[in-house]
Amino acid sequence: MHVAVGSTNPVKQRAVERTLAEFDADVVPVAVDSGVSEQPSSVEETITGAKNRARGALEETDADYGVGLEGGATRFEYAPGARLVMWACVTDGERLEVAGGPSLRLPDSVGARLDAGEELGPIMDDRLGTENVAEAEGAAGALTGGLTSRARALSEAVACAFGPFVTTHYEGGRVGRR
């Protein structure tokens, strides 16, 4: 299985490799534009970025699948505070599947800075005294005390978006396992 990931961020590549390990997948990063703002601020914008990355990665390569991953921050009507959300998209050029990963409440001070137009990665670096936390444990790892990580959270979204491609439980599904 040859898979192109629409990002050169090593955490996103690791998330896909981790998810598809049992398939012995060849996962390659591809620099593509998400077509959305650096800090998506809605579920719609975050999903659009994931779709654009998946399509772009597939178009730029001869891969079997293109995968797009996008993190964003949003607010939900029935949950308090700003939320970190992660979405994945998988396409084989014909089908396109989208799935979300976990959502995580952000500290109010982080939410306020997001509302003021700042990006989550630099906010977290400033808060933690780190550099490029987005390429390490991510906000998800820092804010859960290591109970999860950015790669693990993204891999859940990838697994759910890949499901229809690797099982026969969906209309038009195929068996891709072993």
Side-chain angles (χ1 to χ4, degrees), residues 48-120:
T48 297
K51 286 179 177 180
N52 290 343
R53 288 180 182 280
R55 289 179 181 129
L58 190 64
E59 289 170 5
E60 294 292 322
T61 65
D62 63 348
D64 302 312
Y65 299 98
V67 176
L69 294 161
E70 195 71 40
T74 193
R75 293 180 184 273
F76 296 124
E77 183 177 354
Y78 297 105
R83 299 263 161 187
L84 170 62
V85 294
M86 292 162 243
W87 286 86
C89 178
V90 176
T91 185
D92 63 2
E94 293 176 26
R95 295 177 60 189
L96 185 123
E97 296 289 340
V98 177
S103 76
L104 171 70
R105 187 178 70 79
L106 297 167
D108 292 340
S109 60
V110 172
R113 289 178 66 180
L114 287 167
D115 290 342
E118 293 184 60
E119 294 176 38
L120 182 58

Side-chain angles (χ1 to χ4, degrees), residues 10 14 62 127:
R14 272 195 313 275
D62 63 348
R127 184 179 180 98

